[in-house]
Amino acid sequence: MLDTLQTQIGAAITVLVVAFAFLKGDEPERIGGGAYVLAWFASLLIQDDGAGTGVQWGLMGVDFVLMAVYAGLSWKSRRAWPVWASGLQALIVMSHLLTLVDIRPPLMAFYAVMNLASYGILLALAIGAFRAWHERRVIGLE
């Protein structure tokens, strides 16, 4: 789970970005950050580290639900970051679907797509929270 330095650094980045979204973001950023953290914890709990092949149905379900949350945020909010987050999350879901239809991408490519897309989602969330905070500062609410 968090046994290597890379996963610990990734966890620290996740916690920092989500904390920033909760502290400085508006409601869409808080919902997006909360959904990301819940999906992250669920993924840590249900992933099968020993499975080198096949579909991990639990992870696919969690990623699909997170994509639906971001798509809902894209639809209901007037922000740009949920569109980027839902697009990147759709890329992760499509990676799961590649293994489902037995395309057999290299396992490291699968993990690279998932990790890079996850960092892209965190970047979109951080930019969204920063913009919300900046807008409040400009109009004098903070």
Side-chain angles (χ1 to χ4, degrees):
M1 291 211 270
L2 295 174
D3 53 350
T4 64
L5 181 62
Q6 292 87 352
T7 57
Q8 293 169 1
I9 291 171
I13 291 170
T14 299
V15 168
L16 288 174
V17 169
V18 171
F20 181 69
F22 275 119
L23 293 174
K24 299 297 181 180
D26 288 335
E27 185 178 6
E29 288 79 19
R30 291 183 184 130
I31 292 171
Y36 189 90
V37 164
L38 286 175
W40 180 54
F41 281 133
S43 296
L44 287 176
L45 291 174
I46 64 175
Q47 73 183 354
D48 184 11
D49 290 333
T53 60
V55 180
Q56 291 194 22
W57 292 101
L59 284 178
M60 185 174 166
V62 167
D63 286 334
F64 186 79
V65 168
L66 187 58
M67 183 183 71
V69 168
Y70 287 143
L73 279 175
S74 299
W75 187 352
K76 294 295 181 183
S77 72
R78 299 181 65 186
R79 314 274 172 145
W81 75 265
V83 176
W84 286 95
S86 57
L88 290 165
Q89 191 63 33
L91 184 65
I92 292 172
V93 170
M94 292 306 293
S95 295
H96 286 293
L97 292 177
L98 281 175
T99 59
L100 178 67
V101 297
D102 205 22
I103 300 293
R104 294 185 190 174
L107 193 59
M108 295 315 281
F110 177 72
Y111 288 143
V113 167
M114 290 183 70
N115 287 330
L116 290 175
S118 294
Y119 285 125
I121 292 169
L122 286 174
L123 179 65
L125 179 62
I127 290 171
F130 179 77
R131 283 188 172 175
W133 175 50
H134 189 291
E135 288 172 4
R136 283 196 314 272
R137 286 188 66 196
V138 166
I139 61 174
L141 293 178
E142 265 192 40

